[in-house]
Amino acid sequence: MVTSYLLYLLHFSITFFINIHIANYYLSDIFGEYQFYNTLFVLFVSVSQMGTLQSFVVLAPKISNKIKLIFATLILRIIGYSLLTILLLIVFWLMRLPNIAYIFLLLLIPLTISLSSILDYYKKINIDVKYNFFFDGLLFATLTILIIQSELSIIYIVIARFISKSISELMKYKYIINNIGVFVFSKKYLIWMFIKSKVFIANRLIVELYARSDILLLGFIANKNEVGIYAVSLAIYNGLLMGEGLLARKLFPQLTKVFKDDKKVKEILMISILYKSIYFITVILFTYFFLNNIIFTYLYNPEEYMRSSIVLDFMLIGLFSHIFANNTNYLLMLKDNYLYIKRFTIGFVLNIILGIIFYEIYNLEGYTVAIQIVKIVMVSYSVYISYQYLNNKIKVAIT
């Protein structure tokens, strides 16, 4: 486990510094466009995966033949990617989008296939981390450096990401075949998986719309330069979530295993809140008083991205919302699916309304504050509703 954590940290560090290199070389205008489409395609993944990211974690503990479930999941994702790509090709042609949008369709393939959740379920995080480090980390970094030294278009960065990510996923697939089970096609499981996953398609799409709406909305109401400035701050913000990501990969599977026992669910939620509180309060203080100044003085081009430093300070407010992330995850496991959808729909709408208003009045900095306010409001709602259910003040059956 220690080795996995070290590789995870190294992978993050490599990716972090390579993204800085990309941002500094292509500057905020081009980097802003790159990040806008990168964010847009992460949103498309929520559709191309056909809801299977969540449904596999929820359904796997309930059946004995998990090999059939794994391959039903992969087949559904391939079908989802194919149908979505046909639709997007038509839309892109009608909207006359730039070539970078078409190149991102390649990257959507390995992003859709993503085998991390399957390896997580089988407690093979070490395998996932190892392949991500060597191929999605080191290989991508090497290709990126060569592309920038050759003074090539940022489109080639997307192609490099496609190559490295694809090799990483192929290696994971080979591991699953060799160590978990060979391909077994089951029409019955495929249909069953699709039926069970349908509700998660809407769930995941709404979640991603809410999570990505800040960059996407900014891409429509601001110029590319401001999108690039915001994207740099957001990249650092997401980097600060690294520790929370490791905690989530340990704590969320525990939550799924005990979700029928309210008392144990409460215990895991409290442990999660405690661990994440210690982590995020430390990170917020360290970043505000020390890390922020170093990053934008010595790492990023200060003439191009100094405004990102101010934006990052405002973003730190939103880190408090991640302390209670598992309370939101708990809502996903309830049969009251509309509750989960409603929660993120409200967040998405509030992001748009407050984001536009604050941007018009207070520019980019005000826009950032609006997004953080919505995060705090939404997580407060999740905490309140989750404990209402757990304290049996709201009656609901659990799947």
Side-chain angles (χ1 to χ4, degrees):
M1 186 58 71
V2 174
T3 302
S4 295
Y5 284 149
L6 288 175
L7 288 178
Y8 185 90
L9 290 171
L10 285 172
H11 181 203
F12 164 76
S13 300
I14 291 169
T15 303
F16 180 76
F17 285 106
I18 282 298
N19 281 333
I20 292 175
H21 196 33
I22 294 171
N24 285 338
Y25 179 77
Y26 292 103
L27 301 184
S28 57
D29 280 0
I30 297 176
F31 185 69
E33 182 179 57
Y34 168 78
Q35 286 296 80
F36 173 78
Y37 283 108
N38 191 52
T39 303
L40 184 63
F41 274 83
V42 171
L43 175 63
F44 290 150
V45 170
S46 63
V47 178
S48 64
Q49 288 187 333
M50 303 282 281
T52 57
L53 184 69
Q54 292 91 341
S55 62
F56 180 85
V57 176
V58 173
L59 298 174
K62 300 179 180 181
I63 64 171
S64 56
N65 197 331
K66 295 177 180 58
I67 298 303
K68 290 184 178 180
L69 189 66
I70 289 174
F71 289 103
T73 298
L74 296 182
I75 292 171
L76 275 179
R77 290 181 182 181
I78 292 170
I79 294 172
Y81 169 80
S82 302
L83 294 175
L84 181 64
T85 297
I86 293 171
L87 176 63
L88 290 178
L89 284 172
I90 297 171
V91 173
F92 290 174
W93 181 76
L94 292 174
M95 296 181 66
R96 300 182 183 277
L97 293 185
N99 290 335
I100 193 171
Y102 292 91
I103 301 301
F104 263 106
L105 283 170
L106 286 175
L107 181 55
L108 186 60
I109 299 172
L111 290 177
T112 299
I113 297 299
S114 183
L115 299 168
S116 294
S117 60
I118 294 171
L119 291 171
D120 282 358
Y121 179 80
Y122 282 95
K123 298 181 180 179
K124 297 298 179 181
I125 296 176
N126 59 317
I127 300 299
D128 182 58
V129 170
K130 182 176 74 172
Y131 290 138
N132 284 344
F133 170 72
F134 285 109
F135 300 106
D136 201 22
L138 282 179
L139 179 58
F140 175 64
T142 302
L143 293 174
T144 298
I145 291 171
L146 291 174
I147 289 167
I148 290 177
Q149 286 180 344
S150 302
E151 300 182 349
L152 298 175
S153 163
I154 200 167
I155 286 176
Y156 289 93
I157 300 292
V158 184
I159 295 173
R161 184 83 170 87
F162 161 70
I163 292 171
S164 62
K165 185 66 177 173
S166 295
I167 293 175
S168 176
E169 294 306 317
L170 284 171
M171 294 300 293
K172 294 174 194 176
Y173 179 77
K174 181 180 178 181
Y175 178 87
I176 290 174
I177 293 292
N178 293 336
N179 297 276
I180 297 177
V182 296
F183 180 88
V184 179
F185 175 75
S186 171
K187 182 179 178 181
K188 174 185 174 182
Y189 269 74
L190 184 63
I191 296 172
W192 181 74
M193 187 69 173
F194 173 69
I195 293 171
K196 294 293 185 180
S197 299
K198 283 191 299 184
V199 68
F200 293 106
I201 299 175
N203 279 349
R204 178 88 191 280
L205 179 60
I206 292 297
V207 171
E208 292 296 341
L209 270 173
Y210 167 64
R212 314 293 171 182
S213 58
D214 52 350
I215 285 284
L216 295 176
L217 176 60
L218 202 59
F220 289 107
I221 66 175
N223 57 53
K224 292 179 182 178
N225 176 266
E226 287 186 314
V227 176
I229 288 170
Y230 186 90
V232 162
S233 302
L234 187 62
I236 298 168
Y237 178 91
N238 289 334
L240 299 177
L241 297 176
M242 176 185 60
E244 194 269 343
L246 288 172
L247 289 172
R249 293 180 79 163
K250 271 188 82 71
L251 293 170
F252 183 60
Q254 293 180 25
L255 191 63
T256 63
K257 291 177 182 177
V258 302
F259 68 90
K260 289 186 178 180
D261 188 325
D262 289 352
K263 183 177 179 181
K264 289 183 179 179
V265 168
K266 286 182 181 179
E267 290 175 0
I268 291 176
L269 288 178
M270 288 306 298
I271 291 171
S272 175
I273 291 169
L274 175 62
Y275 286 170
K276 292 183 180 183
S277 295
I278 295 171
Y279 175 76
F280 280 116
I281 290 173
T282 303
V283 163
I284 290 169
L285 294 174
F286 180 73
T287 304
Y288 184 80
F289 289 106
F290 184 68
L291 188 62
N292 193 334
N293 183 58
I294 290 177
I295 288 174
F296 291 105
T297 301
Y298 301 104
L299 298 182
Y300 283 98
N301 182 340
E303 294 181 3
E304 189 76 8
Y305 295 109
M306 186 51 70
R307 193 178 176 190
S308 298
S309 173
I310 301 170
V311 172
L312 179 61
D313 281 341
F314 289 123
M315 281 187 176
L316 294 178
I317 300 168
L319 285 178
F320 285 103
S321 65
H322 295 278
I323 291 173
F324 305 95
N326 269 335
N327 290 78
T328 299
N329 290 334
Y330 171 73
L331 298 183
L332 176 62
M333 294 183 284
L334 301 174
K335 275 189 176 177
D336 189 355
N337 296 305
Y338 292 106
L339 172 69
Y340 191 79
I341 294 174
K342 181 173 70 174
R343 186 263 191 213
F344 285 100
T345 302
I346 293 171
F348 174 62
V349 172
L350 285 177
N351 269 353
I352 293 175
I353 295 173
L354 293 183
I356 292 174
I357 293 173
F358 276 61
Y359 180 80
E360 291 296 327
I361 300 174
Y362 303 110
N363 298 318
L364 183 61
E365 290 76 10
Y367 178 86
T368 306
V369 171
I371 299 299
Q372 310 318 307
I373 290 173
V374 175
K375 286 182 180 180
I376 298 299
V377 171
M378 288 300 97
V379 80
S380 299
Y381 173 82
S382 291
V383 171
Y384 174 75
I385 295 297
S386 62
Y387 282 109
Q388 288 286 93
Y389 275 104
L390 289 170
N391 292 329
N392 296 317
K393 292 182 179 179
I394 303 176
K395 300 293 183 182
V396 67
I398 308 292
T399 56

